[in-house]
Amino acid sequence: MSSEGWPPGHEKLVLEETDSTMMEAQRRAPSLGSPTWILAHRQTAGRGRRGRAWTDPAGNFAATLIQRMDEPPAKLALRSFVAALALRDALVELTHLPDAFALKWPNDVLLNGGKLSGILLESPGAGVLAIGIGVNLRASPEPEPGAAFPPVNLRSETGITLGPEQLLDSLAPAFARWDTRLRTYGFGPIRTAFLNGVARLGQPLIARTLTEEFRGTFETIDESGSLVLVTPEGRRAIPAADIFFP
């Protein structure tokens, strides 16, 4: 467990099996009291961004943090950066391999250049935020056609085997630490830390939205969390997109 211990005031629910931890969080939202981490050892209907299926082989990590938050949607969305920073910290703490992990805007953690994790934010009710996190600890799903990054898993890439509860016990205090920084100091320190660990800064990127494709140089992340590309048509701030490395 992290030296910081479990964050005060947070509950932990460990399930052997559920459809998805996000759906479990949605069911519990109406009666939610304290912030709660929900971990499942097996998901039967996991999902990712834009409704994509999230394959969850045995031994991988699947958890959702659900909590009440009285903040505007734009600030709630910044928790995607908080989650990615916390996950990287937890993985570095447990593996002692700081150079193996990189961040990909807006919220992925890469391992040796491959996709290790997925992070999904949803609001299952007014004033409630659910943050779902999946990590390939022991097995990788089959790559999707046209996937930007091949899925990788921690055990194959590093030879290190972590248990889901072991990761959760480091992730929860790491998330609480970064979340406190966001609440106290705003997005500035989060943005700086993310830029310090993000992949391909200053290099070419392709950003694809549902309707457009932008090609340019990854200049920065702005104060709202948008990706800033320098394109032949000028600087473009892109709030949401799928990222590809040429």
Side-chain angles (χ1 to χ4, degrees):
M1 180 180 288
S2 167
S3 58
E4 293 185 48
W6 190 257
H10 288 57
E11 296 185 17
K12 175 166 59 172
L13 175 65
V14 179
L15 305 172
E16 284 304 312
E17 180 177 302
T18 189
D19 44 8
S20 82
T21 58
M22 289 293 274
M23 293 172 72
E24 186 69 34
Q26 184 174 354
R27 290 189 288 267
R28 293 175 179 271
S31 59
L32 181 68
S34 305
T36 301
W37 282 96
I38 303 170
L39 172 74
H41 285 288
R42 182 171 182 269
Q43 290 189 130
T44 59
R47 55 188 166 83
R49 293 178 62 240
R50 298 180 181 172
R52 298 168 180 148
W54 178 265
T55 306
D56 190 32
N60 283 353
F61 179 88
T64 293
L65 171 63
I66 182 168
Q67 55 188 327
R68 296 195 180 279
M69 305 186 77
D70 184 18
E71 295 179 358
K75 187 168 183 180
L76 291 178
L78 298 177
R79 283 349 189 265
S80 64
F81 296 94
V82 169
L85 287 165
L87 179 57
R88 186 193 61 174
D89 279 3
L91 290 165
V92 169
E93 177 186 46
L94 294 169
T95 65
H96 306 291
L97 297 172
D99 296 332
F101 302 98
L103 302 168
K104 180 176 78 70
W105 179 90
N107 58 17
D108 280 333
V109 175
L110 303 177
L111 171 58
N112 297 336
K115 183 177 173 66
L116 181 68
S117 70
I119 295 172
L120 176 65
L121 272 64
E122 291 183 351
S123 180
V128 178
L129 181 66
I131 305 169
I133 301 174
V135 186
N136 301 325
L137 291 181
R138 303 190 188 191
S140 308
E142 290 295 320
E144 296 180 2
F149 302 89
V152 297
N153 70 80
L154 185 72
R155 182 162 61 180
S156 294
E157 291 290 320
T158 68
I160 296 171
T161 300
L162 296 180
E165 292 187 58
Q166 183 183 12
L167 177 55
L168 179 61
D169 285 341
S170 285
L171 174 60
F175 186 95
R177 181 172 65 249
W178 283 109
D179 193 55
T180 297
R181 290 175 184 167
L182 177 63
R183 293 172 188 262
T184 305
Y185 303 110
F187 186 53
I190 308 299
R191 175 177 173 268
T192 298
F194 201 91
L195 285 169
N196 285 339
V198 75
R200 300 296 181 100
L201 187 65
Q203 298 183 32
L205 283 188
I206 301 170
R208 292 176 184 158
T209 70
L210 291 175
T211 57
E212 296 181 275
E213 177 178 290
F214 303 95
R215 293 173 177 261
T217 301
F218 180 11
E219 183 182 59
T220 190
I221 296 165
D222 71 14
E223 290 75 12
S224 70
S226 294
L227 175 76
V228 178
L229 289 184
V230 178
T231 76
E233 294 77 32
R235 296 173 80 249
R236 295 295 301 262
I238 303 166
D242 287 328
I243 294 301
F244 299 81
F245 296 160

